[in-house]
Amino acid sequence: MDINDTRSKLKNIIDGVIIEGTADNCTAIRNILCASFSTSTTVKRNFESKAITKKEQIEFLKAYASEKDLLIKQAPNESQYLARGGESKVYFEAETNSVIKLNDGIYYATWLEFFNSIVIHNLLFPNTAYSFLGFIEIEDTFCAILKQPFVTSDDAVDLADVKKLLAYNGFENILRNGLPTSNYYNKELGLILEDIHDENVIVKANTLFFIDTVFYTAFQ
């Protein structure tokens, strides 16, 4: 994808523009939320103040999912369970060589920001793009169910290669006390990418695969 085209699409996502001409479910859910809720560029600083909005979005999504038959009643079988991450419970689907992630959106102030992050991930990292399967509620916790290709590493990741690839897309490494962190910032777009370390980036056949990304729209 042309770099200017990518940046134009990123800007539209961040600005809350409805994305036309795509049929994937992640974008569809994101567009529906955009039509009823505004995108904020200060969610990182105003996380707690968005709690009411997030609850409103959950009720909105429950109603939409019920209407569109997107409410999943049964979680994957526990025999498929792989791991629990910071925001997801992860299962392995052998027949499609994929992982199923039950994500509670805890890292995000709102569900719109969550789906913005997913759509941005799919735009920048299509080799590990998420597909949206539906929603589930487990013990009063509302979760999105996502599917992602399962990738196994055949080499250790070189974070210098990661830094170079992200710089190509306008993301510069954030320094603290003169030292690099696992976070990146795109000043032009006001977009933060967090938690990029050697467990969230996998190398296979000399190709980088980003499997867990967290994007925030937050001008600094």
Side-chain angles (χ1 to χ4, degrees):
M1 182 181 292
D2 179 79
I3 187 64
N4 291 324
D5 183 47
T6 298
R7 289 179 180 173
S8 176
K9 290 181 177 180
L10 284 171
K11 188 175 188 306
N12 285 339
I13 295 168
I14 292 163
D15 289 346
V17 175
I18 301 298
I19 307 300
E20 305 287 354
T22 56
D24 68 283
N25 286 334
C26 292
T27 301
I29 296 294
R30 179 259 174 202
N31 283 348
I32 289 162
L33 286 167
C34 274
S36 298
F37 300 90
S38 61
T39 298
S40 172
T41 58
T42 59
V43 291
K44 192 67 175 170
R45 296 195 298 271
N46 301 328
F47 197 98
E48 292 183 1
S49 68
K50 297 293 182 180
I52 294 176
T53 300
K54 192 170 190 179
K55 289 180 180 178
E56 291 174 351
Q57 290 178 356
I58 288 174
E59 296 307 312
F60 177 89
L61 290 171
K62 283 181 182 178
Y64 175 81
S66 179
E67 178 185 343
K68 300 296 184 180
D69 197 28
L70 290 172
L71 283 176
I72 309 298
K73 296 181 179 179
Q74 185 66 45
N77 193 290
E78 285 302 309
S79 64
Q80 299 173 264
Y81 176 74
L82 277 182
R84 170 78 207 196
E87 61 176 342
S88 296
K89 194 171 183 180
V90 184
Y91 299 83
F92 179 61
E93 188 176 77
E95 56 268 32
T96 61
N97 196 38
S98 302
V99 289
I100 306 297
K101 296 182 175 180
L102 275 57
N103 193 311
D104 60 12
I106 195 170
Y107 288 167
Y108 300 89
T110 70
W111 280 99
L112 174 53
E113 305 311 319
F114 170 84
F115 278 100
N116 274 341
S117 181
I118 296 298
V119 173
I120 291 170
H121 173 98
N122 289 354
L123 175 64
L124 292 179
F125 310 120
N127 58 4
T128 55
Y130 292 98
S131 55
F132 171 76
L133 303 182
F135 296 104
I136 192 170
E137 193 164 18
I138 302 176
E139 297 179 352
D140 296 325
T141 299
F142 187 71
C143 298
I145 305 179
L146 303 169
K147 187 174 182 177
Q148 187 180 41
F150 179 69
V151 183
T152 54
S153 175
D154 62 12
D155 200 358
V157 64
D158 186 339
L159 292 179
D161 292 336
V162 174
K163 185 176 180 180
K164 182 178 179 181
L165 176 62
L166 291 175
Y168 175 77
N169 286 288
F171 290 87
E172 298 299 327
N173 187 243
I174 295 174
L175 301 178
R176 288 199 185 99
N177 300 319
L179 298 175
T181 69
S182 61
N183 298 341
Y184 289 77
Y185 183 60
N186 186 312
K187 184 176 181 180
E188 176 188 352
L189 298 171
L191 192 61
I192 294 173
L193 171 57
E194 289 196 346
D195 212 23
I196 298 302
H197 52 73
D198 56 5
E199 292 182 1
N200 287 343
V201 185
I202 293 172
V203 177
K204 185 173 184 179
N206 296 316
T207 301
L208 295 175
F209 294 83
F210 291 72
I211 60 169
D212 283 309
T213 58
V214 178
F215 288 97
Y216 293 103
T217 52
F219 284 91
Q220 294 184 333

